[in-house]
Amino acid sequence: MPGILYIVPTPVGNLEDMTFRAIRVLKEADLILAEDTRTSSVLLHHYDIHGKLQSHHKFNEHQTVEMIKERILGGLNVALISDAGTPGISDPGFLLVRTCAAEGIEIQTLPGSTACIPAIVSSGLPCDRFCFEGFLPVKKGRQTLLKTLASESRTMVFYESPYRLVKTLGQFAEYFGPDRECSVAREISKVHEEHRRGTLTEVQAWFQEHEPKGEIVIVVAGAPPEKKH
């Protein structure tokens, strides 16, 4: 009888954000796939989880996905985790899920931590309708995408590196307008969590004076109705 693939979210900050179900699934799994086994070992040790740990990341997933599929078909229950948040959301996981789904393998995705939802809810910007863009292309296709998003009416959510934050906010101001409202969430669920709100120009100026550190989520207001066309 085939096993099950479990997609298990892990905390983006505070280790207490793990759910009871996530802890149980990881304890019962025959194999745990981790984006970085060193990072995940800290979490597993915290919850006294001693399951078999195997590396599964964007650099090796194309080579290992078929082998993992076969092990699940052979009866193993496999849990996939990333360094932080929900696997597949700007993290490895999509390829394995697609492969297992095509094979008819049961996939159970547990609800849990992800950085984008706390960021948009805390932003003060409309969150009834939004689009998640994740990380923008670093070079090729970046300007084309920004031109397209300039007329997006929904609130937009982006992930960004602290090293590119100031430059990205400047590009947003250029393409979306300097007075477009935004919120930058930093270090969500960690000790130094911060939410900086204002116009794109104001927030960019703040981070030019205060070097950004940690994990970054940018939330940008959608285009006002008169600018949609």
Tab-separated table of all heavy atoms in Angstrom, residues 43-93:
chain	number	residue	atom	x	y	z
A	43	LEU	N	15.227	22.593	14.857
A	43	LEU	CA	13.790	22.475	15.125
A	43	LEU	C	13.438	21.076	15.625
A	43	LEU	O	12.708	20.917	16.611
A	43	LEU	CB	13.000	22.787	13.846
A	43	LEU	CG	11.488	22.564	13.917
A	43	LEU	CD1	10.842	23.615	14.811
A	43	LEU	CD2	10.874	22.605	12.515
A	44	LEU	N	13.945	20.061	14.946
A	44	LEU	CA	13.609	18.682	15.318
A	44	LEU	C	14.127	18.350	16.715
A	44	LEU	O	13.444	17.675	17.494
A	44	LEU	CB	14.188	17.713	14.281
A	44	LEU	CG	13.678	17.885	12.846
A	44	LEU	CD1	14.268	16.818	11.930
A	44	LEU	CD2	12.158	17.850	12.782
A	45	HIS	N	15.314	18.823	17.027
A	45	HIS	CA	15.862	18.584	18.367
A	45	HIS	C	15.002	19.265	19.430
A	45	HIS	O	14.775	18.708	20.514
A	45	HIS	CB	17.300	19.101	18.432
A	45	HIS	CG	17.922	18.967	19.789
A	45	HIS	ND1	18.362	17.764	20.300
A	45	HIS	CD2	18.175	19.910	20.764
A	45	HIS	CE1	18.848	17.951	21.512
A	45	HIS	NE2	18.752	19.246	21.818
A	46	HIS	N	14.513	20.470	19.117
A	46	HIS	CA	13.683	21.217	20.063
A	46	HIS	C	12.434	20.424	20.444
A	46	HIS	O	11.979	20.487	21.588
A	46	HIS	CB	13.291	22.562	19.452
A	46	HIS	CG	12.474	23.433	20.355
A	46	HIS	ND1	13.036	24.207	21.350
A	46	HIS	CD2	11.133	23.655	20.410
A	46	HIS	CE1	12.071	24.862	21.989
A	46	HIS	NE2	10.916	24.563	21.432
A	47	TYR	N	11.881	19.691	19.482
A	47	TYR	CA	10.654	18.932	19.723
A	47	TYR	C	10.911	17.427	19.891
A	47	TYR	O	9.978	16.630	19.796
A	47	TYR	CB	9.651	19.183	18.584
A	47	TYR	CG	9.000	20.545	18.696
A	47	TYR	CD1	9.370	21.586	17.856
A	47	TYR	CD2	8.039	20.804	19.667
A	47	TYR	CE1	8.792	22.846	17.970
A	47	TYR	CE2	7.457	22.049	19.796
A	47	TYR	CZ	7.830	23.063	18.946
A	47	TYR	OH	7.262	24.306	19.071
A	48	ASP	N	12.175	17.077	20.140
A	48	ASP	CA	12.536	15.684	20.409
A	48	ASP	C	12.076	14.749	19.284
A	48	ASP	O	11.512	13.684	19.520
A	48	ASP	CB	11.928	15.234	21.750
A	48	ASP	CG	12.588	13.971	22.284
A	48	ASP	OD1	13.767	13.741	21.971
A	48	ASP	OD2	11.895	13.204	22.989
A	49	ILE	N	12.320	15.194	18.054
A	49	ILE	CA	11.959	14.410	16.864
A	49	ILE	C	13.240	13.799	16.304
A	49	ILE	O	14.211	14.504	16.019
A	49	ILE	CB	11.281	15.290	15.804
A	49	ILE	CG1	9.970	15.872	16.371
A	49	ILE	CG2	11.001	14.497	14.530
A	49	ILE	CD1	9.350	16.942	15.498
A	50	HIS	N	13.228	12.486	16.145
A	50	HIS	CA	14.439	11.781	15.738
A	50	HIS	C	14.234	10.992	14.451
A	50	HIS	O	14.876	9.962	14.231
A	50	HIS	CB	14.901	10.845	16.853
A	50	HIS	CG	15.117	11.553	18.166
A	50	HIS	ND1	16.189	12.390	18.395
A	50	HIS	CD2	14.368	11.567	19.307
A	50	HIS	CE1	16.116	12.871	19.627
A	50	HIS	NE2	15.017	12.405	20.199
A	51	GLY	N	13.347	11.470	13.593
A	51	GLY	CA	13.104	10.772	12.332
A	51	GLY	C	14.299	10.856	11.396
A	51	GLY	O	15.206	11.678	11.572
A	52	LYS	N	14.318	9.986	10.401
A	52	LYS	CA	15.399	9.976	9.416
A	52	LYS	C	15.321	11.233	8.556
A	52	LYS	O	14.296	11.545	7.966
A	52	LYS	CB	15.286	8.734	8.543
A	52	LYS	CG	16.495	8.507	7.627
A	52	LYS	CD	16.339	7.217	6.838
A	52	LYS	CE	16.388	6.019	7.742
A	52	LYS	NZ	16.335	4.751	6.964
A	53	LEU	N	16.430	11.965	8.486
A	53	LEU	CA	16.476	13.256	7.803
A	53	LEU	C	17.282	13.133	6.520
A	53	LEU	O	18.370	12.559	6.505
A	53	LEU	CB	17.109	14.299	8.728
A	53	LEU	CG	16.907	15.774	8.459
A	53	LEU	CD1	15.428	16.129	8.474
A	53	LEU	CD2	17.645	16.610	9.512
A	54	GLN	N	16.729	13.686	5.432
A	54	GLN	CA	17.415	13.646	4.138
A	54	GLN	C	17.324	15.024	3.482
A	54	GLN	O	16.303	15.694	3.557
A	54	GLN	CB	16.776	12.587	3.233
A	54	GLN	CG	17.399	12.509	1.839
A	54	GLN	CD	16.781	11.403	1.001
A	54	GLN	OE1	16.537	10.295	1.489
A	54	GLN	NE2	16.502	11.699	-0.259
A	55	SER	N	18.392	15.424	2.808
A	55	SER	CA	18.436	16.715	2.143
A	55	SER	C	17.573	16.715	0.878
A	55	SER	O	17.620	15.781	0.078
A	55	SER	CB	19.885	17.064	1.785
A	55	SER	OG	19.951	18.286	1.109
A	56	HIS	N	16.763	17.777	0.719
A	56	HIS	CA	15.936	17.937	-0.481
A	56	HIS	C	15.804	19.431	-0.736
A	56	HIS	O	15.069	20.129	-0.052
A	56	HIS	CB	14.556	17.296	-0.294
A	56	HIS	CG	13.689	17.395	-1.516
A	56	HIS	ND1	13.811	16.555	-2.590
A	56	HIS	CD2	12.692	18.262	-1.832
A	56	HIS	CE1	12.929	16.885	-3.518
A	56	HIS	NE2	12.240	17.920	-3.076
A	57	HIS	N	16.549	19.942	-1.721
A	57	HIS	CA	16.560	21.376	-1.987
A	57	HIS	C	16.578	21.618	-3.489
A	57	HIS	O	16.584	20.675	-4.295
A	57	HIS	CB	17.764	22.040	-1.309
A	57	HIS	CG	19.057	21.320	-1.537
A	57	HIS	ND1	19.708	21.312	-2.756
A	57	HIS	CD2	19.814	20.558	-0.698
A	57	HIS	CE1	20.810	20.600	-2.666
A	57	HIS	NE2	20.905	20.122	-1.437
A	58	LYS	N	16.581	22.895	-3.874
A	58	LYS	CA	16.427	23.241	-5.288
A	58	LYS	C	17.586	22.767	-6.152
A	58	LYS	O	17.456	22.673	-7.370
A	58	LYS	CB	16.245	24.753	-5.441
A	58	LYS	CG	17.446	25.581	-5.018
A	58	LYS	CD	17.150	27.071	-5.210
A	58	LYS	CE	18.337	27.931	-4.795
A	58	LYS	NZ	18.065	29.383	-4.996
A	59	PHE	N	18.713	22.449	-5.529
A	59	PHE	CA	19.877	22.032	-6.307
A	59	PHE	C	19.902	20.522	-6.563
A	59	PHE	O	20.639	20.059	-7.431
A	59	PHE	CB	21.164	22.458	-5.602
A	59	PHE	CG	21.268	23.940	-5.413
A	59	PHE	CD1	21.136	24.498	-4.153
A	59	PHE	CD2	21.471	24.790	-6.490
A	59	PHE	CE1	21.227	25.875	-3.964
A	59	PHE	CE2	21.558	26.166	-6.321
A	59	PHE	CZ	21.431	26.705	-5.059
A	60	ASN	N	19.129	19.754	-5.767
A	60	ASN	CA	19.149	18.309	-5.981
A	60	ASN	C	17.779	17.684	-6.224
A	60	ASN	O	17.672	16.474	-6.445
A	60	ASN	CB	19.822	17.596	-4.795
A	60	ASN	CG	18.952	17.558	-3.539
A	60	ASN	OD1	17.860	18.137	-3.487
A	60	ASN	ND2	19.431	16.881	-2.513
A	61	GLU	N	16.703	18.512	-6.189
A	61	GLU	CA	15.368	17.933	-6.268
A	61	GLU	C	15.093	17.230	-7.592
A	61	GLU	O	14.360	16.238	-7.636
A	61	GLU	CB	14.293	18.991	-5.987
A	61	GLU	CG	14.281	20.169	-6.937
A	61	GLU	CD	13.188	21.177	-6.580
A	61	GLU	OE1	12.290	20.831	-5.793
A	61	GLU	OE2	13.235	22.305	-7.092
A	62	HIS	N	15.678	17.705	-8.685
A	62	HIS	CA	15.458	17.047	-9.975
A	62	HIS	C	16.098	15.661	-10.004
A	62	HIS	O	15.624	14.771	-10.707
A	62	HIS	CB	16.020	17.908	-11.113
A	62	HIS	CG	15.205	19.132	-11.395
A	62	HIS	ND1	14.109	19.132	-12.239
A	62	HIS	CD2	15.319	20.404	-10.925
A	62	HIS	CE1	13.579	20.339	-12.282
A	62	HIS	NE2	14.298	21.132	-11.501
A	63	GLN	N	17.159	15.473	-9.229
A	63	GLN	CA	17.831	14.183	-9.198
A	63	GLN	C	17.176	13.205	-8.211
A	63	GLN	O	17.281	11.985	-8.377
A	63	GLN	CB	19.305	14.352	-8.803
A	63	GLN	CG	20.191	15.007	-9.859
A	63	GLN	CD	19.964	16.507	-9.978
A	63	GLN	OE1	19.814	17.198	-8.975
A	63	GLN	NE2	19.928	17.020	-11.202
A	64	THR	N	16.511	13.726	-7.185
A	64	THR	CA	16.002	12.857	-6.123
A	64	THR	C	14.500	12.610	-6.175
A	64	THR	O	14.007	11.695	-5.510
A	64	THR	CB	16.348	13.460	-4.747
A	64	THR	OG1	15.736	14.766	-4.635
A	64	THR	CG2	17.852	13.594	-4.581
A	65	VAL	N	13.767	13.395	-6.955
A	65	VAL	CA	12.306	13.320	-6.886
A	65	VAL	C	11.766	11.953	-7.289
A	65	VAL	O	10.820	11.437	-6.667
A	65	VAL	CB	11.664	14.449	-7.735
A	65	VAL	CG1	11.965	14.271	-9.218
A	65	VAL	CG2	10.169	14.525	-7.496
A	66	GLU	N	12.332	11.326	-8.299
A	66	GLU	CA	11.843	10.014	-8.727
A	66	GLU	C	12.108	8.958	-7.659
A	66	GLU	O	11.269	8.085	-7.407
A	66	GLU	CB	12.498	9.611	-10.049
A	66	GLU	CG	12.019	10.409	-11.251
A	66	GLU	CD	10.537	10.183	-11.544
A	66	GLU	OE1	10.062	9.048	-11.348
A	66	GLU	OE2	9.865	11.141	-11.962
A	67	MET	N	13.261	9.013	-7.035
A	67	MET	CA	13.596	8.065	-5.979
A	67	MET	C	12.653	8.213	-4.789
A	67	MET	O	12.187	7.221	-4.214
A	67	MET	CB	15.047	8.274	-5.546
A	67	MET	CG	15.506	7.359	-4.410
A	67	MET	SD	15.294	8.125	-2.782
A	67	MET	CE	16.528	9.424	-2.879
A	68	ILE	N	12.346	9.466	-4.435
A	68	ILE	CA	11.419	9.700	-3.320
A	68	ILE	C	10.025	9.187	-3.676
A	68	ILE	O	9.345	8.567	-2.850
A	68	ILE	CB	11.377	11.203	-2.985
A	68	ILE	CG1	12.751	11.658	-2.463
A	68	ILE	CG2	10.284	11.498	-1.964
A	68	ILE	CD1	12.906	13.153	-2.375
A	69	LYS	N	9.609	9.438	-4.908
A	69	LYS	CA	8.302	8.939	-5.358
A	69	LYS	C	8.217	7.431	-5.208
A	69	LYS	O	7.212	6.892	-4.708
A	69	LYS	CB	8.065	9.335	-6.808
A	69	LYS	CG	6.736	8.854	-7.393
A	69	LYS	CD	6.716	8.954	-8.908
A	69	LYS	CE	7.585	7.864	-9.530
A	69	LYS	NZ	7.485	7.858	-11.015
A	70	GLU	N	9.258	6.734	-5.633
A	70	GLU	CA	9.271	5.274	-5.554
A	70	GLU	C	9.231	4.789	-4.108
A	70	GLU	O	8.594	3.773	-3.807
A	70	GLU	CB	10.502	4.716	-6.264
A	70	GLU	CG	10.497	4.919	-7.773
A	70	GLU	CD	9.288	4.267	-8.450
A	70	GLU	OE1	8.863	3.186	-7.982
A	70	GLU	OE2	8.769	4.848	-9.419
A	71	ARG	N	9.882	5.501	-3.224
A	71	ARG	CA	9.862	5.099	-1.814
A	71	ARG	C	8.476	5.289	-1.217
A	71	ARG	O	8.042	4.482	-0.380
A	71	ARG	CB	10.912	5.903	-1.033
A	71	ARG	CG	12.339	5.648	-1.518
A	71	ARG	CD	13.375	6.332	-0.670
A	71	ARG	NE	13.550	5.675	0.612
A	71	ARG	CZ	14.469	6.014	1.513
A	71	ARG	NH1	15.293	7.022	1.257
A	71	ARG	NH2	14.576	5.375	2.651
A	72	ILE	N	7.776	6.335	-1.631
A	72	ILE	CA	6.407	6.532	-1.153
A	72	ILE	C	5.499	5.443	-1.723
A	72	ILE	O	4.664	4.873	-1.006
A	72	ILE	CB	5.880	7.930	-1.530
A	72	ILE	CG1	6.739	9.021	-0.867
A	72	ILE	CG2	4.420	8.090	-1.108
A	72	ILE	CD1	6.381	10.434	-1.300
A	73	LEU	N	5.674	5.136	-2.997
A	73	LEU	CA	4.885	4.054	-3.610
A	73	LEU	C	5.164	2.723	-2.925
A	73	LEU	O	4.303	1.840	-2.878
A	73	LEU	CB	5.193	3.956	-5.105
A	73	LEU	CG	4.650	5.076	-5.987
A	73	LEU	CD1	5.178	4.944	-7.413
A	73	LEU	CD2	3.120	5.069	-5.990
A	74	GLY	N	6.361	2.599	-2.367
A	74	GLY	CA	6.727	1.376	-1.659
A	74	GLY	C	6.190	1.301	-0.245
A	74	GLY	O	6.385	0.293	0.447
A	75	GLY	N	5.524	2.374	0.207
A	75	GLY	CA	4.867	2.322	1.508
A	75	GLY	C	5.384	3.293	2.547
A	75	GLY	O	4.847	3.360	3.657
A	76	LEU	N	6.415	4.069	2.223
A	76	LEU	CA	6.955	5.012	3.203
A	76	LEU	C	6.095	6.273	3.284
A	76	LEU	O	5.646	6.791	2.264
A	76	LEU	CB	8.382	5.416	2.824
A	76	LEU	CG	9.524	4.709	3.560
A	76	LEU	CD1	9.496	3.214	3.269
A	76	LEU	CD2	10.862	5.311	3.180
A	77	ASN	N	5.886	6.746	4.505
A	77	ASN	CA	5.260	8.049	4.713
A	77	ASN	C	6.368	9.088	4.799
A	77	ASN	O	7.266	8.991	5.645
A	77	ASN	CB	4.437	8.061	5.997
A	77	ASN	CG	3.189	7.212	5.880
A	77	ASN	OD1	2.544	7.186	4.833
A	77	ASN	ND2	2.836	6.501	6.948
A	78	VAL	N	6.309	10.081	3.926
A	78	VAL	CA	7.378	11.067	3.796
A	78	VAL	C	6.846	12.453	4.141
A	78	VAL	O	5.780	12.853	3.670
A	78	VAL	CB	7.959	11.062	2.375
A	78	VAL	CG1	8.977	12.183	2.200
A	78	VAL	CG2	8.593	9.706	2.068
A	79	ALA	N	7.595	13.191	4.964
A	79	ALA	CA	7.237	14.565	5.315
A	79	ALA	C	8.248	15.518	4.697
A	79	ALA	O	9.457	15.296	4.801
A	79	ALA	CB	7.203	14.747	6.823
A	80	LEU	N	7.767	16.558	4.047
A	80	LEU	CA	8.626	17.569	3.437
A	80	LEU	C	8.546	18.862	4.241
A	80	LEU	O	7.452	19.367	4.503
A	80	LEU	CB	8.189	17.838	1.998
A	80	LEU	CG	8.907	18.979	1.268
A	80	LEU	CD1	10.382	18.645	1.059
A	80	LEU	CD2	8.236	19.282	-0.072
A	81	ILE	N	9.708	19.390	4.634
A	81	ILE	CA	9.767	20.665	5.327
A	81	ILE	C	10.801	21.554	4.627
A	81	ILE	O	11.676	21.067	3.918
A	81	ILE	CB	10.147	20.513	6.826
A	81	ILE	CG1	11.525	19.836	6.973
A	81	ILE	CG2	9.072	19.752	7.574
A	81	ILE	CD1	11.988	19.717	8.416
A	82	SER	N	10.668	22.862	4.815
A	82	SER	CA	11.669	23.802	4.316
A	82	SER	C	12.310	24.482	5.522
A	82	SER	O	11.975	24.197	6.670
A	82	SER	CB	11.041	24.832	3.373
A	82	SER	OG	10.062	25.593	4.054
A	83	ASP	N	13.249	25.385	5.257
A	83	ASP	CA	13.920	26.062	6.372
A	83	ASP	C	12.931	26.838	7.229
A	83	ASP	O	13.091	26.927	8.443
A	83	ASP	CB	14.990	27.022	5.840
A	83	ASP	CG	16.191	26.286	5.257
A	83	ASP	OD1	16.282	25.055	5.450
A	83	ASP	OD2	17.024	26.933	4.608
A	84	ALA	N	11.930	27.432	6.591
A	84	ALA	CA	10.927	28.217	7.315
A	84	ALA	C	9.711	28.406	6.426
A	84	ALA	O	9.845	28.620	5.225
A	84	ALA	CB	11.489	29.568	7.729
A	85	GLY	N	8.523	28.300	7.021
A	85	GLY	CA	7.299	28.511	6.256
A	85	GLY	C	6.790	27.252	5.600
A	85	GLY	O	7.137	26.124	5.973
A	86	THR	N	5.948	27.433	4.588
A	86	THR	CA	5.295	26.324	3.906
A	86	THR	C	6.064	25.927	2.653
A	86	THR	O	6.278	26.770	1.777
A	86	THR	CB	3.852	26.712	3.518
A	86	THR	OG1	3.118	27.040	4.707
A	86	THR	CG2	3.149	25.558	2.809
A	87	PRO	N	6.490	24.680	2.530
A	87	PRO	CA	7.197	24.233	1.326
A	87	PRO	C	6.370	24.512	0.068
A	87	PRO	O	5.144	24.373	0.071
A	87	PRO	CB	7.362	22.728	1.555
A	87	PRO	CG	7.357	22.576	3.041
A	87	PRO	CD	6.378	23.608	3.536
A	88	GLY	N	7.052	24.908	-0.986
A	88	GLY	CA	6.372	25.211	-2.239
A	88	GLY	C	6.081	26.684	-2.432
A	88	GLY	O	5.893	27.142	-3.558
A	89	ILE	N	6.049	27.446	-1.338
A	89	ILE	CA	5.820	28.888	-1.422
A	89	ILE	C	7.178	29.570	-1.390
A	89	ILE	O	7.755	29.813	-0.330
A	89	ILE	CB	4.922	29.396	-0.272
A	89	ILE	CG1	3.609	28.635	-0.225
A	89	ILE	CG2	4.677	30.894	-0.422
A	89	ILE	CD1	2.756	28.780	-1.471
A	90	SER	N	7.735	29.841	-2.572
A	90	SER	CA	9.091	30.382	-2.710
A	90	SER	C	10.134	29.491	-2.039
A	90	SER	O	11.180	29.967	-1.593
A	90	SER	CB	9.172	31.812	-2.139
A	90	SER	OG	8.383	32.693	-2.906
A	91	ASP	N	9.837	28.222	-1.938
A	91	ASP	CA	10.739	27.215	-1.385
A	91	ASP	C	10.583	25.934	-2.195
A	91	ASP	O	9.576	25.757	-2.895
A	91	ASP	CB	10.391	26.932	0.086
A	91	ASP	CG	10.983	27.950	1.046
A	91	ASP	OD1	12.104	28.420	0.781
A	91	ASP	OD2	10.331	28.258	2.053
A	92	PRO	N	11.542	25.008	-2.108
A	92	PRO	CA	11.397	23.725	-2.815
A	92	PRO	C	10.129	22.989	-2.387
A	92	PRO	O	9.685	23.114	-1.243
A	92	PRO	CB	12.650	22.953	-2.382
A	92	PRO	CG	13.627	23.993	-1.975
A	92	PRO	CD	12.821	25.101	-1.379
A	93	GLY	N	9.555	22.230	-3.285
A	93	GLY	CA	8.362	21.447	-2.955
A	93	GLY	C	7.454	21.218	-4.135
A	93	GLY	O	6.834	20.157	-4.262
